[in-house]
Amino acid sequence: MAGKSHVDDSVIERRLRPIYDWLDNGNNKKAVQEADKVLRKQPNLHCASVLKALALLRLGRNKESTEIVNNVVSEGTSDDATLQALTICYREMHQPHLICSIYENALKLDPTNEDIISHLFMAYVRVGNYKKQQVTAMMLYKLKPKNPYYFWAIMSIVMQAHTTKDSVSRKVSLQLAERMILKFVNEDKIDSEAEVLTYLYILELEEKYEDALAVLDGPLARRIVQKMQNFMPLKRALYNTKLNKFDSASIIYMDLILEQPDNWQHYVFFVDTILSMYKRHVNAPEGKADPLQEASQFLTNAREKNISLGGENRSPFLGLLQFALKLKEEGLHEKIELVCGNVTDLLFDYIKHIGSKMCCYTDIVNFLPLVPKEETSTLLERVFNLVEKDANGVPVSINHIFMHQIGLQLQRAFGKEDFTETAEDIVKFADRLVHFYQETSQFCAHMATTDIKPNDTYLILASHYYFEALSHLVTKISSSSNEEQKEFSSFASNTLVKLCCLLEHGIEICKANYHLKLLLIKAYNLIGATSASYDVYERLDMKQIQVDTLGHIMSLQSLDTGHYSCASTIFSTTLKFFMANYKDTSDPLIMAYKFGSLCRIPECVEFRERLNNSLHFATVTAEQMILELTSKGNSKAELEELMEQLDVDPANEKTVWDDLWDNRDLDVMVSWKPGDKKIIEELKKETFSDDVTLLNSMVNGTVNGACEDETSLPATVMKDLIDSLSLQIQDCDSTKKRTREISQIPIQGPDLARIHLYAKGNHHKCILKHAEAVLRIYNCTVGSEGLDAWSSDVIKGLNEVFDQELSFVLPHLDTLQVLPSSALPWLNTQPLGHISHFLQTVSLILILF
Amino acid sequence: MTTLRPFRCEDMFHFNNVNLDPLTETYGLLFYLQYLAHWPEYFQVAESPSGVIMGYIMGKAEGLSENWHGHVTALTVAPEYRRLGLAKQLMAILEDISEKKRCFFVDLFVRVSNSVAISMYKKLGYIIYRTVLQYYSGDPDEDAYDMRKALSRDIQKKSVIPLTHPVRPEDIE
């Protein structure tokens, strides 16, 4: 075997061991030295060479590393240790497809080696080549007829069905997968739970629910032994529902409710089934029992039984409300009272039982639309009456604090606060909440620092109102006379400073409360106080996937306010996460095959794609590139090196715009105003599409434009870029027309899309004009047009557009406010944004030339 | 008022309300994914009716012969949903599945300072089997209790006879 020569395996093992150890310890220099030592004794020991290459790679000496790897590969090897070391190298080089090639070649040298074929299969898993996975798995099965190999092939076929867009080939693939399993079933070869689950999974994909039910009723079901208690009944009920056998399904759900009275999903499924049944029976012959009445009776009994047992479970209290909600959604309003009784009473009853717990509001929020408008005031009154207060009107215990808060939360949800819609009144109302916060702190003093304090909700609520008052004030300021403006401005500044101080105080008292931290970041971001918000951001300790889902709260803001070092820190953490994910997440896929969790594979693949196609990832990548180019390139040589490192290739730009995902988690900040939730959902869609437009323009216009290099790229690429940049300008301009009032955005919502601010300037036009000039110069000097085509008007045109840009941005410098007493929402963020965009534009133009 | 269901990959996109809690660690994706790939039945989530994740449990089964046991790797409940018996429900699932896997016992590690959790586990029938010295790294390192509960297969309850001496992390099998 190549590379092994005549030396005994155990000797080789002994010689290589220290290299592995150094690599494991992260001491790559030592690993290189040790490898050299081994190679002196045994120059053609491939594994030592590759381990050396790996160490060099980790030392950043990519060129040397690649050279060694290529050498070994060209000589060919089928040695397991060498192949595995190569696998690690290619993984770290982000070239998983080359892992396939080395194993393909190894297989030629050693065609019946089970290990090599198995590794080849895994190599295809890494790159998602399902067709080759299938062939390789069958090759394995033929060599060693083990069940897992056969099922690897089956799952590879399922994945082909999963990824195809063509319905016919999907059907054909699934049929093939099913036939393969059936063959095993008939030969009585099925022997594990995973195999039965895969069978069920395929039947579900094919919508063959009769067959799936038959599996549950047959001998194969005995193999399912390690699932949750409700696994089989839930499957059975699902299949019955799909087959329109609602009677059977509802019976199963009733049993499940009786067995697990606090597992909420059973109630939801039960109610859905009943309504489907009702819709079918609506015109059925008389004499048949009314399913609505029967279900109502059942849910009422469940509720009463729970109460008689001390009311420990929460779900039975809400079954009837879920029923009412579904009736409402189905347009059966007239049935609600008849079937469920008085929903307001049901809700009140729940609050009476559970209102002294912090979770009450999220339990009932879905059911609030059931309360008729005219009953909201009475309901509130009844809830507030449950709260026991002392002589000063302060709740007397933690239980009563929660009860009081649920009243306040409902008040906000119903829009029934006792104030007129003026900023002064709203602030007064919020001040009262702060008073409650302070007066109840004595009850919370003894609590663990790791728990959210019960009285924190007062502070969060108060903050929401302060933010709302600020929105009112901003609108007022922009539409009032000079004198009034001053008055409103000072009121707004005071409110803002008060809000920040209160939140800082709240965080100091309760370090565990992330709600307060998120609010404070938002508050600081409003005034462009990036250092302050970054400080809070650090205390949030966000990591891993949170940099994607919560990156919208604090990342690009730091760039737009010109805090470049802060931006650079956040960007690098963010990119590190995504790059690691790119490398790491194929390992769990391989594990899923190995351990038989086959049904989870499509989910893992989808998850991976969702992360790799994250819009945040793409945006941060582009912004980081621009930031590096504009801040680090101090000479032409440095710039060229940077560009090489960034590896931007405008001619082959391959972002798939339609595949980008919005992974922002906008539900993390709590809101007690149902209307806000709707606005936030709309905003999420809107800002996503706006952000995609901006990214598109950045990638196509700016990054690629800056990285164009006239000596290596044909002028046509430059021309294409100019064309696409012109298109982007039109896109930007059309977004500009659809601006939202910043003050309408709820504080829990996304920030205003960055493109709005960008589109207000002439940055794009400026870059475009300069790019055109560069092309002209190229054509006059190197290209076909010749010097005669040059005209000084070109430079004159550039001056004009640049002056325009300058006169747009300079006045913004004067509006910057630096004293806290003059801090107003959005006052600083906008000019800072304009200035940083301007600086970026100037830098990019300089790079262009 | 809780839906208990298997954890899905996409849950990671919105488990922030649980994981922003300072006591809950947010691990690298690989960590969660390998549990999903290897022990999917041991990774369960509790969800509120409005779709908010209230908490979750991750675990695994490992060990040879009489040491074959279920292990609780992480159990967390968001602050708003504490004291509702959620942890108990999640633990019950893990114990149930460990029974089905014919495990001898279930074990878990907990910081010796986490008295709330320790007393909860005691209520659920767990005993302090041994102390593991400096198990949690930090400043300073903190000891862990290895707590155990015997399952029905361990008829003589051999797995829950407490050790008299503390052990070092490297001595844990």
Side-chain angles (χ1 to χ4, degrees):
Chain A
M1 203 178 291
K4 272 199 174 176
S5 69
H6 311 291
V7 189
D8 189 74
D9 273 358
S10 63
V11 176
I12 294 176
E13 160 73 27
R14 206 182 55 233
R15 284 184 183 162
L16 293 177
R17 182 56 29 215
I19 317 181
Y20 284 112
D21 288 343
W22 289 125
L23 281 167
D24 283 347
N25 295 334
N27 197 334
N28 298 313
K29 257 190 191 152
K30 283 273 187 199
V32 174
Q33 285 167 10
E34 193 65 39
D36 281 334
K37 222 163 80 190
V38 176
L39 286 168
R40 271 198 295 278
K41 285 184 202 141
Q42 214 178 329
N44 54 356
L45 183 58
H46 280 156
C47 193
S49 303
V50 179
L51 290 176
K52 180 182 169 184
L54 181 60
L56 288 169
L57 183 71
R58 289 181 180 171
L59 286 167
R61 289 154 69 179
N62 298 18
K63 245 184 192 160
E64 293 163 77
S65 168
T66 315
E67 211 167 281
I68 300 175
V69 166
N70 289 346
N71 265 338
V72 173
V73 171
S74 69
E75 284 177 30
T77 179
S78 64
D79 167 52
D80 186 45
T82 310
L83 288 166
Q84 293 210 26
L86 280 170
T87 302
I88 301 173
C89 281
Y90 284 137
R91 268 185 53 190
E92 295 190 11
M93 293 172 178
H94 296 279
Q95 292 183 313
H97 55 285
L98 292 177
I99 305 175
C100 305
S101 332
I102 51 165
Y103 278 104
E104 279 162 6
N105 290 333
L107 191 59
K108 282 179 203 147
L109 299 173
D110 192 0
T112 55
N113 185 325
E114 186 183 356
D115 278 346
I116 290 180
I117 314 178
S118 160
H119 278 122
L120 180 60
F121 176 82
M122 296 311 173
Y124 290 137
V125 169
R126 281 183 203 282
V127 295
N129 189 335
Y130 305 122
K131 186 87 202 139
K132 287 198 170 162
Q133 271 178 225
Q134 180 195 341
V135 176
T136 316
M138 279 320 280
M139 202 192 291
L140 266 172
Y141 183 68
K142 276 178 193 144
L143 187 74
K144 290 274 159 68
K146 299 178 187 167
N147 275 19
Y149 294 154
Y150 191 72
F151 275 84
W152 288 2
I154 291 172
M155 202 55 211
S156 304
I157 297 168
V158 173
M159 288 312 291
Q160 290 171 50
H162 194 73
T163 39
T164 180
K165 288 196 171 84
D166 171 33
S167 63
V168 177
S169 59
R170 179 186 144 90
K171 203 174 156 192
V172 172
S173 292
L174 290 174
Q175 273 171 352
L176 174 60
E178 189 199 336
R179 266 208 313 277
M180 282 177 72
I181 296 196
L182 267 180
K183 183 168 177 286
F184 251 48
V185 174
N186 294 335
E187 292 169 10
D188 201 19
K189 282 186 186 164
I190 299 273
D191 67 5
S192 77
E193 177 177 287
E195 292 160 14
V196 182
L197 293 179
T198 309
Y199 188 22
L200 285 176
Y201 179 66
I202 293 169
L203 291 173
E204 284 170 23
L205 289 175
E206 291 185 289
E207 299 180 22
K208 291 186 174 174
Y209 301 109
E210 290 280 5
D211 295 341
L213 266 181
V215 173
L216 294 186
D217 290 327
L220 288 178
R222 278 201 299 274
R223 301 272 176 207
I224 302 176
V225 285
Q226 298 190 2
K227 290 284 149 190
M228 274 170 88
Q229 206 184 333
N230 61 357
F231 177 84
M232 294 282 265
L234 276 181
K235 285 276 177 211
R236 195 180 290 278
L238 170 75
Y239 300 152
N240 274 303
T241 309
K242 294 282 185 187
L243 293 164
N244 292 338
K245 293 179 184 168
F246 303 114
D247 283 313
S248 313
S250 73
I251 291 169
I252 299 172
Y253 289 130
M254 284 196 276
D255 285 343
L256 280 171
I257 289 173
L258 293 173
E259 271 170 38
Q260 300 180 6
D262 207 21
N263 200 333
W264 177 243
Q265 60 187 326
H266 302 152
Y267 292 80
V268 177
F269 293 140
F270 173 64
V271 167
D272 288 348
T273 313
I274 293 300
L275 278 166
S276 306
M277 195 179 347
Y278 174 76
K279 274 190 273 176
R280 290 206 338 150
H281 283 194
V282 133
N283 298 318
E286 273 182 39
K288 200 113 175 133
D290 179 1
L292 299 186
Q293 283 303 342
E294 277 189 23
S296 147
Q297 195 53 53
F298 175 76
L299 291 171
T300 310
N301 290 346
R303 184 170 176 276
E304 278 163 9
K305 188 178 164 200
N306 183 49
I307 294 175
S308 72
L309 291 172
E312 192 192 331
N313 294 319
R314 285 140 66 226
S315 300
F317 279 116
L318 293 177
L320 282 169
L321 280 166
Q322 176 69 17
F323 201 9
L325 186 69
K326 284 287 154 182
L327 287 167
K328 185 173 184 244
E329 281 173 16
E330 293 288 341
L332 298 163
H333 300 85
E334 75 286 356
K335 294 270 178 196
I336 296 178
E337 178 97 36
L338 217 63
V339 178
C340 306
N342 185 310
V343 286
T344 312
D345 284 347
L346 281 173
L347 206 59
F348 175 72
D349 197 42
Y350 188 75
I351 296 167
K352 207 167 86 187
H353 274 96
I354 312 290
S356 56
K357 293 192 158 80
M358 212 192 261
C359 62
C360 187
Y361 185 81
T362 44
D363 284 354
I364 58 172
V365 60
N366 284 355
F367 308 117
L368 298 184
L370 286 169
V371 182
K373 271 210 170 73
E374 62 278 11
E375 289 180 27
T376 49
S377 300
T378 356
L379 175 64
L380 277 176
E381 209 183 303
R382 288 165 78 188
V383 173
F384 280 126
N385 280 339
L386 292 173
V387 186
E388 204 179 306
K389 293 178 172 180
D390 65 14
N392 299 319
V394 178
V396 295
S397 70
I398 288 184
N399 284 355
H400 287 282
I401 291 176
F402 285 136
M403 195 63 93
H404 185 215
Q405 287 168 350
I406 182 87
L408 292 165
Q409 289 159 341
L410 287 175
Q411 195 177 35
R412 180 149 176 82
F414 293 139
K416 287 277 172 189
E417 298 94 338
D418 46 359
F419 54 63
T420 55
E421 289 276 310
T422 66
E424 291 82 357
D425 251 23
I426 299 175
V427 167
K428 258 187 221 152
F429 187 81
D431 289 346
R432 229 163 60 217
L433 294 171
V434 173
H435 172 74
F436 284 123
Y437 171 72
Q438 287 160 337
E439 291 303 310
T440 49
S441 61
Q442 43 162 334
F443 298 112
C444 314
H446 67 283
M447 297 191 65
T449 50
T450 46
D451 263 329
I452 285 184
K453 304 255 188 234
N455 62 339
D456 280 353
T457 302
Y458 287 125
L459 191 53
I460 299 171
L461 257 174
S463 306
H464 292 176
Y465 285 110
Y466 285 130
F467 277 116
E468 209 166 288
L470 285 169
S471 291
H472 276 263
L473 284 168
V474 166
T475 320
K476 282 261 182 192
I477 291 168
S478 61
S479 64
S480 52
S481 68
N482 244 353
E483 204 40 46
E484 274 181 330
Q485 222 173 36
K486 247 190 201 158
E487 196 183 310
F488 287 136
S489 297
S490 111
F491 186 41
S493 309
N494 287 342
T495 307
L496 195 60
V497 172
K498 177 158 72 180
L499 169 64
C500 292
C501 292
L502 280 167
L503 287 170
E504 286 281 8
H505 168 79
I507 294 169
E508 203 47 50
I509 303 280
C510 181
K511 296 188 169 61
N513 198 329
Y514 65 88
H515 293 291
L516 300 174
K517 294 178 193 164
L518 291 170
L519 285 166
L520 188 54
I521 291 179
K522 288 268 184 176
Y524 284 141
N525 277 348
L526 278 186
I527 47 174
T530 302
S531 307
S533 49
Y534 184 65
D535 183 50
V536 189
Y537 170 85
E538 282 195 305
R539 281 186 269 167
L540 259 183
D541 194 25
M542 277 173 25
K543 49 178 115 144
Q544 302 294 344
I545 194 169
Q546 291 172 331
V547 300
D548 187 21
T549 55
L550 295 177
H552 62 99
I553 285 173
M554 176 84 209
S555 51
L556 297 158
Q557 290 88 344
S558 53
L559 180 74
D560 292 344
T561 49
H563 280 71
Y564 299 120
S565 70
C566 171
S568 172
T569 313
I570 299 179
F571 289 176
S572 95
T573 321
T574 306
L575 295 177
K576 216 162 120 192
F577 161 74
F578 282 110
M579 293 317 285
N581 162 57
Y582 190 74
K583 192 172 68 188
D584 279 352
T585 44
S586 58
D587 286 347
L589 276 178
I590 291 173
M591 284 174 89
Y593 280 100
K594 276 191 186 158
F595 297 111
S597 310
L598 302 175
C599 309
R600 305 307 290 266
I601 289 168
E603 177 191 335
C604 280
V605 170
E606 197 176 290
F607 176 71
R608 222 178 144 198
E609 280 167 10
R610 200 172 152 182
L611 277 172
N612 286 338
N613 292 323
S614 156
L615 172 64
H616 188 62
F617 179 23
T619 306
V620 170
T621 308
E623 290 287 9
Q624 166 81 341
M625 282 182 180
I626 299 181
L627 186 61
E628 294 239 320
L629 280 174
T630 52
S631 64
K632 289 198 180 146
N634 292 322
S635 68
K636 189 163 191 293
E638 271 180 35
L639 261 179
E640 274 166 4
E641 202 189 312
L642 265 175
M643 282 178 198
E644 197 175 311
Q645 274 173 20
L646 293 177
D647 196 23
V648 182
D649 182 1
N652 295 306
E653 217 303 301
K654 54 179 189 306
T655 311
V656 187
W657 300 101
D658 289 340
D659 287 351
L660 288 175
W661 268 92
D662 185 354
N663 293 336
R664 287 176 296 176
D665 178 8
L666 289 173
D667 294 323
V668 66
M669 290 185 80
V670 59
S671 164
W672 292 292
K673 214 172 159 188
D676 279 357
K677 225 172 168 171
K678 236 168 111 193
I679 302 174
I680 291 169
E681 269 162 35
E682 283 168 27
L683 279 168
K684 190 171 188 217
K685 283 191 199 125
E686 210 174 283
T687 50
F688 177 67
S689 104
D690 285 352
D691 287 342
V692 171
T693 311
L694 180 66
L695 174 68
N696 198 336
S697 83
M698 271 192 317
V699 171
N700 283 324
T702 1
V703 181
N704 288 342
C707 289
E708 126 342 296
D709 174 358
E710 64 267 40
T711 52
S712 61
L713 274 178
T716 47
V717 173
M718 186 69 181
K719 177 80 184 53
D720 288 348
L721 286 175
I722 289 174
D723 290 346
S724 85
L725 193 53
S726 319
L727 274 178
Q728 297 313 322
I729 293 182
Q730 287 167 21
D731 276 358
C732 270
D733 284 345
S734 62
T735 338
K736 199 157 46 173
K737 288 187 194 108
R738 188 174 43 77
T739 49
R740 266 183 188 269
E741 283 298 315
I742 305 180
S743 55
Q744 290 169 356
I745 300 178
I747 199 67
Q748 296 87 348
D751 286 5
L752 188 74
R754 299 164 70 230
I755 196 168
H756 293 287
L757 204 59
Y758 190 76
K760 277 188 187 156
N762 292 309
H763 317 294
H764 253 127
K765 205 170 146 201
C766 207
I767 295 174
L768 177 70
K769 287 283 167 206
H770 285 81
E772 282 169 352
V774 170
L775 182 62
R776 189 78 179 269
I777 295 170
Y778 174 84
N779 281 336
C780 292
T781 51
V782 193
S784 52
E785 291 179 18
L787 274 178
D788 294 343
W790 179 251
S791 152
S792 56
D793 287 348
V794 179
I795 300 295
K796 221 169 118 191
L798 291 184
N799 274 342
E800 257 169 44
V801 70
F802 194 77
D803 283 346
Q804 222 181 338
E805 174 90 357
L806 204 58
S807 58
F808 167 75
V809 80
L810 282 179
H812 287 297
L813 277 173
D814 301 329
T815 60
L816 282 174
Q817 300 289 332
V818 287
L819 295 171
S821 57
S822 56
L824 277 181
W826 301 288
L827 198 71
N828 275 352
T829 44
Q830 300 209 5
L832 283 173
H834 287 309
I835 295 164
S836 80
H837 288 150
F838 172 73
L839 290 175
Q840 189 189 69
T841 304
V842 174
S843 308
L844 287 171
I845 290 170
L846 287 173
I847 294 171
L848 258 177
F849 280 92
Chain B
M1 200 54 196
T2 310
T3 286
L4 298 165
R5 59 163 177 81
F7 190 93
R8 293 190 287 262
C9 287
E10 71 201 37
D11 289 326
M12 285 187 258
F13 288 111
H14 55 105
F15 66 8
N16 288 316
N17 61 310
V18 182
N19 279 34
L20 283 176
D21 171 60
L23 278 189
T24 305
E25 179 67 24
T26 301
Y27 299 101
L29 295 180
L30 197 59
F31 189 73
Y32 299 106
L33 291 173
Q34 73 189 13
Y35 272 83
L36 270 179
H38 199 152
W39 303 278
E41 61 282 355
Y42 267 141
F43 201 165
Q44 300 282 340
V45 60
E47 190 182 66
S48 88
S50 46
V52 177
I53 296 182
M54 309 158 84
Y56 54 84
I57 193 164
M58 292 169 81
K60 59 181 170 182
E62 59 185 8
L64 294 171
S65 60
E66 287 191 357
N67 195 31
W68 172 244
H69 68 283
H71 174 74
V72 184
T73 304
L75 168 63
T76 176
V77 174
E80 289 94 326
Y81 303 102
R82 291 184 188 150
R83 283 174 284 279
L84 295 171
L86 222 54
K88 183 178 157 186
Q89 283 178 299
L90 290 166
M91 287 293 288
I93 297 175
L94 189 130
E95 287 166 18
D96 174 44
I97 290 163
S98 301
E99 284 282 0
K100 288 177 172 160
K101 285 182 181 285
R102 307 274 297 127
C103 292
F104 286 87
F105 60 93
V106 171
D107 77 348
L108 55 93
F109 293 94
V110 59
R111 286 176 188 276
V112 292
S113 63
N114 192 349
S115 53
V116 179
I118 295 167
S119 74
M120 178 199 76
Y121 290 128
K122 280 186 177 164
K123 258 188 226 155
L124 297 179
Y126 286 76
I127 60 117
I128 297 173
Y129 172 69
R130 59 185 169 183
T131 305
V132 187
L133 297 169
Q134 293 161 3
Y135 179 78
Y136 293 101
S137 42
D139 187 23
D141 290 349
E142 191 176 347
D143 296 350
Y145 285 138
D146 176 357
M147 298 186 76
R148 283 187 178 187
K149 179 177 181 175
L151 297 178
S152 60
R153 192 173 175 192
D154 181 11
I155 300 164
Q156 294 166 320
K157 307 287 171 220
K158 283 202 284 195
S159 63
V160 287
I161 303 169
L163 295 192
T164 44
H165 299 292
V167 296
R168 305 216 142 266
E170 55 271 24
D171 301 328
I172 311 173
E173 295 151 47

